[in-house]
Amino acid sequence: MTAPSIERPRPAHPRPAFWQPHWQAGFAQLGPAFVRQVLPTPLPAPHWVATSAAVGELLQLPVGWQQSHDLLEAFSGNALLPGCQPLASVYSGHQFGVWAGQLGDGRALLLGQVQGQEVQLKGSGRTPYSRMGDGRAVLRSSIREFLCSEAMHALAVPTTRALCLTGSPAPVAREELESAAVLTRVAPSFIRFGHFEHFAARRQYAELRQLADFVIERWYPHCREQADPSGRATYAALLREVSERTARLIAQWQAVGFCHGVLNTDNMSILGLTLDYGPFQFLDGFDPGHICNHSDTQGRYAFDRQPAIGWWNLHALAQALMPLIDDAHAAEAALASYEAVFTEAYVALLRAKLGLARPCAGDADLVQQTLALLAAEQVDWSIFWRRLAQAAGQDDYAAVRELFADRVAFDAWLLRYKELTALAGQGFEPDLMLKSNPKYVLRNYLAEQAIAQARQGNFEELQTLQTLLARPFDEHPGFGRYAGFPPEWASRISISCSS
């Protein structure tokens, strides 16, 4: 496929660049079977929308980079950083359980690797893999991804990060005309399950092995400790590592009430990171079967199906790695720990939310009883847990009890809760609970309010959310309304795959 003809952008200023990164060898070294060089498509009149000082520090950007016009141009696709050769990578994947064939970075460009982190522009124009798309991102979805990736990091959930977001008045056609935006996102790697599926499906086994060896060398070197001259055990060990990382990741999603919305295999990270924030949602009322993506008409990616979908996607990865593992029993054995790792991680996270610092007899049963109690009345997920953390510290559960219409059921649960801690010989640990139950999460309605203001050129609400979500376990006096119940209209917000 021939790359589209794109005019090479010119730097807005002839003076030396504000930032001259030291690019490190990374994914690009794999060669032309994996990536294509392509220039970003310039955007008119770009402006800053949001920046992350923490990610700037991670990349060791110079002080004051948020005011640099040179970087504004570079992170909008209007100029190239010194030594930068942007790349788009090819991958394939299963979408909604159906093989979709070749996909790839249709609107993302890898600028390079700095400080061990890949830096990528999302929304910077067409690539050889855009298919029928325009390669653009819109302000609405870009704000959501910027806020959520940084919020997830603050919740200690593995995720890609967001360095900055720029906007432009350029129109982009989606379900309606919207304005364009470019998100600069950062991760140790953006390699997906779909990268492996691509080369396996095309029987390009040399490239498949090259990719697997690259991943093992960079992030899973201990997999080579297997005493196996053929190397098959090494690739089975890689599959096991990815499986267990994925299990722990999804356990963390379930514990914070996070719905991904589009768990296609091309949206699954080989490093166990939360990748590609599309129609995501943090739960309001606890409905285990909640579907956050209105494009998901069959409910494939409902909240309570996420652990099973992770398992399904890992089987797709296992199938892709079979030419290297060459042993179905070894592949099955590599995936065998998924359920146990997920359950152990999930129960441990819920145990901490309940204030139990150590495992004890009956804790898994209490977790299930708690989930059933919340589901029966679809009690607000975040508010219940935060109030419980505060109640345990004061031994006053009135504010928790008022969340339930069936007070008898709640009282019975509370009795079991107190009895368990007494029998286990450990009291509640309010500090652990407060550090395990965030007060602030990125509810859909909060994002919508920030987006509405941003469309008018006002980024104050976005900045407020960024501040609160960066420290979600703190009280933030004066901002309690951001942790309150969602308004009635929040239930009518519809999020789809369109972005």
Side-chain angles (χ1 to χ4, degrees):
M1 185 180 295
T2 303
S5 176
I6 300 175
E7 180 183 354
R8 180 175 291 276
R10 298 178 179 177
H13 299 281
R15 65 176 184 270
F18 181 81
W19 181 43
Q20 300 190 39
H22 175 64
W23 301 113
Q24 301 164 324
F27 187 73
Q29 74 187 61
L30 292 176
F34 298 85
V35 296
R36 296 283 297 276
Q37 290 191 16
V38 59
L39 295 174
T41 305
L43 273 177
H47 57 267
W48 293 111
V49 175
T51 61
S52 169
V55 181
E57 291 179 5
L58 179 67
L59 299 181
Q60 296 188 6
L61 267 69
V63 174
W65 67 269
Q66 300 97 325
Q67 288 79 45
S68 167
H69 184 76
D70 287 351
L71 290 189
L72 170 63
E73 293 290 322
F75 294 139
S76 301
N78 293 354
L80 296 180
L81 292 166
C84 177
Q85 296 181 324
L87 303 168
S89 73
V90 63
Y91 51 82
S92 297
H94 286 82
Q95 298 191 328
F96 290 91
V98 178
W99 178 246
Q102 180 180 301
L103 301 165
D105 291 329
R107 55 180 175 153
L109 288 181
L110 176 64
L111 300 184
Q113 182 174 300
V114 180
Q115 301 298 324
Q117 302 288 321
E118 292 184 350
V119 181
Q120 186 184 77
L121 299 184
K122 182 176 180 180
S124 54
R126 285 181 54 82
T127 80
Y129 313 114
S130 296
R131 297 182 291 171
M132 300 300 292
D134 57 17
R136 288 301 186 193
V138 299
L139 183 65
R140 164 180 49 89
S141 60
S142 299
I143 286 175
R144 284 170 55 82
E145 179 161 358
F146 178 89
L147 286 173
C148 198
S149 54
E150 289 305 283
M152 291 286 269
H153 174 74
L155 291 169
V157 179
T159 179
T160 59
R161 304 289 302 276
L163 172 66
C164 62
L165 174 60
T166 69
S168 165
V172 178
R174 291 296 182 261
E175 293 168 347
E176 60 183 12
L177 276 183
E178 302 189 51
S179 60
V182 176
L183 178 72
T184 301
R185 58 185 187 175
V186 173
S189 176
F190 289 94
I191 296 176
R192 307 149 186 268
F193 290 13
H195 281 96
F196 292 86
E197 289 185 286
H198 177 78
F199 294 106
R202 296 192 170 211
R203 301 181 183 274
Q204 294 178 263
Y205 300 144
E207 288 80 3
L208 178 66
R209 185 181 299 273
Q210 184 184 2
L211 178 62
D213 288 344
F214 174 80
V215 169
I216 291 168
E217 179 184 352
R218 289 293 181 101
W219 298 289
Y220 300 101
H222 50 282
C223 290
R224 294 232 181 259
E225 296 173 2
Q226 307 297 320
D228 176 19
S230 71
R232 290 193 292 268
T234 296
Y235 301 117
L238 170 64
L239 179 60
R240 183 181 64 249
E241 290 284 347
V242 176
S243 173
E244 294 185 357
R245 281 200 188 193
T246 302
R248 287 189 286 268
L249 172 69
I250 297 179
Q252 289 179 278
W253 289 353
Q254 303 302 109
V256 298
F258 176 76
C259 313
H260 185 285
V262 195
L263 283 179
N264 298 330
T265 58
D266 58 294
N267 291 338
M268 297 291 291
S269 163
I270 203 69
L271 299 185
L273 307 175
T274 311
L275 175 67
D276 286 349
Y277 292 89
F280 68 83
Q281 183 179 358
F282 285 88
L283 290 175
D284 292 327
F286 181 57
D287 173 8
H290 180 71
I291 303 166
C292 69
N293 177 3
H294 83 65
S295 301
D296 184 10
T297 55
Q298 302 301 312
R300 177 178 176 82
Y301 300 138
F303 176 74
D304 61 354
R305 296 195 66 189
Q306 291 184 139
I309 291 298
W311 174 243
W312 192 98
N313 289 341
L314 285 162
H315 276 79
L317 177 63
Q319 188 62 44
L321 289 172
M322 277 304 297
L324 306 182
I325 298 174
D326 196 29
D327 183 337
H329 294 296
E332 290 173 3
L335 298 178
S337 60
Y338 175 86
E339 183 176 0
V341 170
F342 169 81
T343 301
E344 181 181 0
Y346 186 50
V347 170
L349 290 165
L350 270 290
R351 186 191 305 124
K353 292 173 80 69
L354 288 163
L356 300 170
R358 301 181 302 278
C360 59
D363 56 5
D365 288 340
L366 178 64
V367 165
Q368 293 305 317
Q369 292 164 2
T370 306
L371 297 178
L373 180 75
L374 298 177
E377 298 187 37
Q378 296 191 8
V379 174
D380 189 280
W381 180 260
S382 297
I383 291 177
F384 167 79
W385 289 110
R386 188 67 179 188
R387 286 193 183 184
L388 184 66
Q390 294 167 327
Q394 302 166 2
D395 195 26
D396 180 357
Y397 294 87
V400 187
R401 191 171 187 262
E402 70 181 22
L403 295 173
F404 296 86
D406 187 347
R407 304 291 170 80
V408 173
F410 173 77
D411 291 341
W413 173 86
L414 182 60
L415 179 62
R416 287 193 293 270
Y417 178 40
K418 291 185 173 183
E419 286 177 344
L420 179 66
T421 57
L423 290 172
Q426 56 175 310
F428 302 120
E429 297 204 13
D431 287 345
L432 173 65
M433 297 176 76
L434 289 171
K435 293 175 182 177
S436 303
N437 296 309
K439 181 172 181 176
Y440 300 93
V441 295
L442 183 60
R443 295 180 187 263
N444 269 350
Y445 86 92
L446 294 174
E448 288 297 305
Q449 290 175 336
I451 291 166
Q453 281 196 10
R455 283 172 165 166
Q456 303 301 315
N458 182 349
F459 307 127
E460 183 178 348
E461 195 73 2
L462 191 161
Q463 292 166 356
T464 296
L465 286 179
Q466 189 178 352
T467 298
L468 297 176
L469 296 170
R471 301 183 66 88
F473 301 98
D474 292 356
E475 284 297 322
H476 297 287
F479 292 89
R481 67 182 182 86
Y482 290 88
F485 291 100
E488 187 276 332
W489 57 265
S491 63
R492 299 193 294 272
I493 296 174
S494 180
I495 307 296
S496 74
C497 293
S498 171
S499 62

